[in-house]
Amino acid sequence: MSEGTILSDRYRVLRKLGEGGMAEVLLVEDALEGREVALKLLKPGEAASRDYFMHEFRLLSRLPHSNLVEVYDFGTATYAGGSTMGVVAPEPSGEDEGSNPDLRCYYTCEYLRGQDLFEATASLDFEGLYSIVHQVLEALSFIHDRGLVHYDVKPENLNVLTIPAERPGQREQHLVKLVDFGLTGTATTQRGAKIKGTVHYVAPEVAKSLPSDRRADLYSLGITLYYCATRKLPYDGGSAFSIIRKHIERIPVPPTELRADVPEAWAGFILRLIEKEPKDRYASAPEALADLSRRLGKPYQAQTSGRGGPLSPALVGRTEELNQIVDLLPRDPLAESRVVWIEGEEGIGKTRLVRELKVRAQLAGVPFLHASCVREGEQPFVRIIRHAQTLPVGRDLADEFAPALVTLFPGVLEHSAEPFPIRDVEGLRAVIDQAVEFLIRLAQAQPFTLVLEDVRRANEVTVSVLAMFLRAMIGEQARGGDLPCLVILTDRLGQVSAETTALTEGIPEEFQAEISEDLSEVRVLLSAARLLVSVPLFRLGKMGTAELIGSMLGLSDPPPLLAAKIHSAAGGNPLFVEE
């Protein structure tokens, strides 16, 4: 992939970062978000690996932790040998994949600027290694507590960013990220499971297709640390079979015999990790960390959360609402119009629900055009339209409606366009009609989901465009048709457009006031047309609060007294529970 290549009309390739068996990783500039990100792109002809790819993105989107890589967006694209890769939606079936070898999917994640663990430890002392291992074990504890096993812990999957000391006499710091969750799954309880992992690091029970659990990850970590400490692998050979056989049968050479300066405490810790029998290893990552700290004479207190505080909370108590909305996603041109109004008090979890909806929509191949209404700053439709331009027909439509779009939303297009002069209210309404026609034509060509959070904060122009688009959906249905579009709005319970924000520059204030729309009236019309789906969010019960606390503390069963006390103080509001 050459430098400067544009992917999905959004990502400009800066350089290649690496390559694996099924995917290549690129450093790209995200034009929509204005930041550099890593883009993992499935290789041509690797359609059979698509499920692993989607599995990895889905898992990581639900595992927020400071020592795990953060993922952003998922998409499906084609590459025909030119300079542009465009999104293809809806997501194709397996048959389509076989007939179109150029079909590729990708996801974006944070760009990690560090080195792999083997490189990062080339000149690192064992004091610095302790900080790194501490973070790795916290990351493993986090995923293990969720019933998962990574199955591919190795130096290449541990990224270490070295942070220079701020002042003389201070030690440099390290930030570790565990990556590559393509093989991650639940513990196995039956024989005959498929062998997972990399042969140099695979646990004996995994190699023998025996039941395996989190202790398999601890074995792989032990092999990794043996390699980093001695700079030699304990088991090597000319074939995968010979290496696996050594894992199963051969006793490793003690690390101190390969490198005299390896402290006995570290050697004993590593050898305990790589015991042949799972029962002879540490039972868990916290137990391993506690023992290492004891061996090194370091104070240790069991960590039940991510570094620096509680973890990001899981989505709790919203399964029914989530599934209800996912079923409404417009997956094809024959999809029905729907407007979902998510309501609830501040902190009840509206944004968290929208974030999970985004993951579900992207994995289903449904474009997710999402923006928040804020009192100051960029208007929400600026972001919506910019995102729409990354769709196959979006850029051409934006060019066709450019004068109207730049009149209402200055700076929304990359190129300059002459705005319409607004001399009266009718002229403003005509421009709004053009913007609404842009959204209608876009939906007809490419079904999408449009999300506006906190609609009460939208300004007059935003509300007018939104209201006219909703009226268009009603009108289309009255004519016996449907716009294949799902609109999702969030607001506080019982409040519609109760606040005002900055007005649109370049349009006389009195004209904006005269186009004011009442979303409450539009809502009544949507309900009468049976297009409205109301989704109220209520406070969590005691069990929901306990589950939320457990997700933040990394505990499957938080202390009942603690859960009861927090529930009483927070009243079941997720935000108050988190605080």
Side-chain angles (χ1 to χ4, degrees), residues 426-457:
E426 291 308 313
L428 178 54
R429 288 200 173 101
V431 172
I432 290 175
D433 286 343
Q434 287 285 294
V436 170
E437 183 64 20
F438 165 79
L439 294 173
I440 292 172
R441 295 265 299 279
L442 183 67
Q444 290 170 338
Q446 171 69 78
F448 63 84
T449 295
L450 188 153
V451 183
L452 287 179
E453 294 195 65
D454 294 324
V455 290
R456 71 185 178 281
R457 294 176 177 165

Side-chain angles (χ1 to χ4, degrees), residues 102-119:
D102 288 331
L103 187 64
R104 305 167 73 178
C105 59
Y106 66 87
Y107 71 76
T108 58
C109 61
E110 62 178 312
Y111 168 43
L112 302 178
R113 302 175 185 274
Q115 302 171 294
D116 74 45
L117 182 61
F118 188 75
E119 295 173 337

Side-chain angles (χ1 to χ4, degrees), residues 106-162:
Y106 66 87
Y107 71 76
T108 58
C109 61
E110 62 178 312
Y111 168 43
L112 302 178
R113 302 175 185 274
Q115 302 171 294
D116 74 45
L117 182 61
F118 188 75
E119 295 173 337
T121 54
S123 58
L124 186 67
D125 59 21
F126 286 94
E127 181 68 23
L129 183 61
Y130 174 78
S131 169
I132 290 174
V133 173
H134 192 293
Q135 294 177 58
V136 175
L137 287 169
E138 283 191 356
L140 290 176
S141 176
F142 176 72
I143 66 173
H144 293 165
D145 283 344
R146 280 142 186 83
L148 299 172
V149 182
H150 187 277
Y151 285 118
D152 202 18
V153 177
K154 59 183 179 180
E156 295 89 338
N157 287 340
L158 290 164
N159 183 277
V160 181
L161 176 65
T162 301

Side-chain angles (χ1 to χ4, degrees), residues 482-533:
D482 261 307
L483 278 180
C485 175
L486 173 64
V487 176
I488 300 175
L489 308 174
T490 76
D491 205 355
R492 293 180 185 173
L493 193 63
Q495 294 186 12
V496 179
S497 200
E499 302 174 14
T500 58
T501 61
L503 300 175
T504 300
E505 294 181 9
I507 300 177
E509 183 176 337
E510 61 272 20
F511 293 173
Q512 296 188 52
E514 287 195 42
I515 62 167
S516 176
E517 284 269 10
D518 187 344
L519 287 181
S520 297
E521 293 180 3
V522 178
R523 179 171 178 156
V524 171
L525 296 175
L526 288 167
S527 181
R530 297 187 177 181
L531 294 179
L532 179 66
V533 178

Side-chain angles (χ1 to χ4, degrees), residues 55 58-66 68 137-150 181 184-187 214 217 285-286 303-306 309-316 352 546-558:
H55 167 75
R58 185 185 296 110
L59 265 182
L60 284 170
S61 70
R62 297 171 183 170
L63 293 174
H65 191 280
S66 60
L68 303 182
L137 287 169
E138 283 191 356
L140 290 176
S141 176
F142 176 72
I143 66 173
H144 293 165
D145 283 344
R146 280 142 186 83
L148 299 172
V149 182
H150 187 277
F181 281 65
T184 301
T186 57
R214 57 192 176 188
D217 281 346
Q303 297 292 316
T304 56
S305 65
L311 304 168
S312 298
L315 182 67
V316 171
R352 181 67 184 84
E547 185 180 351
L548 186 66
I549 294 169
S551 75
M552 290 188 289
L553 297 182
L555 299 174
S556 57
D557 189 19

